Amino acid sequence: HRMTYRTDQSYKSYPRRLIVKTKLGKPGQSRFFIRVGKSFIPKAVNRNLLKRRLRAILKKYSKPGADCLVIYNSKMMLSYKELEKEILK
């Protein structure tokens, strides 16, 4: 299951836990910007864990050369499977 791309695409899950914007950039390596706010997840260890999980999911499902922006807007710690479901919706 791959994420589909147009020139600019946005995925929003309800209740807005993730905002994902994707865009096909230059051919080659994909670029990811992942933001997990300190106000949502206060501990750096947990923020970094979420970023690693999100990065792994994006690498698994994105096309080469994709630019992805992910903003995490939830106070809940989601597992890898839950994050994967949110992104693939």
Side-chain angles (χ1 to χ4, degrees):
H1 193 286
R2 282 214 177 266
M3 294 191 304
T4 56
Y5 294 92
R6 290 183 209 112
T7 53
D8 188 16
Q9 202 163 6
S10 176
Y11 303 93
K12 293 181 184 172
S13 57
Y14 185 79
R16 271 193 143 175
R17 290 190 257 192
L18 284 176
I19 298 172
V20 180
K21 291 196 178 261
T22 58
K23 185 178 182 181
L24 277 176
K26 295 178 183 174
Q29 191 152 356
S30 297
R31 298 184 301 177
F32 306 118
F33 175 77
I34 300 170
R35 183 187 183 281
V36 181
K38 198 174 190 178
S39 60
F40 293 107
I41 307 293
K43 292 189 177 188
V45 172
N46 293 332
R47 285 195 306 273
N48 291 336
L49 176 63
L50 283 169
K51 288 178 191 178
R52 283 194 307 271
R53 286 176 179 170
L54 288 166
R55 197 174 301 114
I57 293 166
L58 291 172
K59 280 182 185 179
K60 184 177 177 181
Y61 291 105
S62 66
K63 291 182 180 180
D67 295 336
C68 300
L69 164 71
V70 178
I71 301 172
Y72 189 85
N73 287 336
S74 176
K75 293 188 178 207
M76 294 172 45
M77 282 291 294
L78 297 178
S79 70
Y80 182 90
K81 294 261 184 209
E82 291 170 323
L83 287 169
E84 199 170 31
K85 280 183 190 174
E86 290 288 325
I87 287 179
L88 295 177
K89 275 186 182 179

